[in-house]
Amino acid sequence: MKKQLAVTAALAGITLAVAGCSATATSGPGTAVSTPGMTAPPTASSSAASTGWELKPQGGGDRIKAAGLQVLNAEGAAEHFHAHLDVLVDGKPVAVPADIGFSFTPAGQPNGISALHSHDKSGIIHIEAPTAGATYTLGQFLTEWGVLDGTDPTPGTPHSAQDGWSVAVNGVPHDGKISDVVLKAHDEVVLFHGAAPVPVPATFTFPAGL
């Protein structure tokens, strides 16, 4: 199901049409509810203490390019599927932010989108590309998020190196670099540091329409 989100880029004076997936579901274990649309720019600050996992809108476009992807004017329709990501540190879940894979103006207004992005905090990863056949990886998504970039020497922190992190896809441990995991339709991807969760989630119930 598609909906249109008109976003004004104040500095460029152009309008960006972003078609976002939407679905209606009841919140509960193994389900997720996607947000109808972005009504306000995201912010890394909140009343809660910063964890380091929050998304910083500044530099979003640069992170998309660093992931080897393009900043698009709208979501594509040639390739359209979804995967789900859980992140855990020592058994504690980490929230996957909304609006990963968006670029923003200095005023905080969205003015671009990657084919690989998130719309809400459900952990659902959206792949909506203008051309079919390309592969998209967990490493690219982490780069767009701006985490596990190796800038903090403390293992298991938001900006630690990826060494020491493990990943399972559909309940099966991935043998290799976590960044190399290729995202496929309805994959359940579990990224964790420390002991593996017991049991490792093997599936995720997507809302109807996804």
Side-chain angles (χ1 to χ4, degrees), residues 57-189:
Q58 300 83 358
D62 290 336
R63 293 194 301 271
I64 292 171
K65 295 174 184 177
L69 300 171
Q70 292 181 308
V71 179
L72 306 171
N73 291 328
E75 292 171 330
E79 190 87 79
H80 186 188
F81 62 92
H82 307 86
H84 182 261
L85 174 65
D86 281 313
V87 180
L88 300 103
V89 178
D90 297 326
K92 297 179 180 179
V94 171
V96 178
D99 307 323
I100 294 170
F102 282 80
S103 63
F104 297 86
T105 69
Q109 297 301 315
N111 65 349
I113 189 172
S114 163
L116 176 67
H117 56 271
S118 68
H119 283 294
D120 57 27
K121 298 179 181 179
S122 66
I124 294 176
I125 300 173
H126 297 250
I127 294 88
E128 293 167 275
T131 57
T135 57
Y136 299 90
T137 67
L138 178 59
Q140 288 176 307
F141 190 71
L142 294 174
T143 296
E144 290 184 329
W145 185 352
V147 297
L148 303 192
D149 53 11
T151 59
D152 187 335
T154 309
T157 56
H159 296 285
S160 69
Q162 296 181 9
D163 297 339
W165 286 83
S166 302
V167 67
V169 181
N170 302 326
V172 179
H174 172 75
D175 185 16
K177 295 181 179 179
I178 65 171
S179 57
D180 292 341
V181 170
V182 175
L183 302 171
K184 298 179 182 178
H186 285 189
D187 273 350
E188 165 61 6
V189 180

Side-chain angles (χ1 to χ4, degrees), residues 7-19:
V7 192
T8 302
L11 298 183
I14 62 173
T15 298
L16 169 69
V18 178

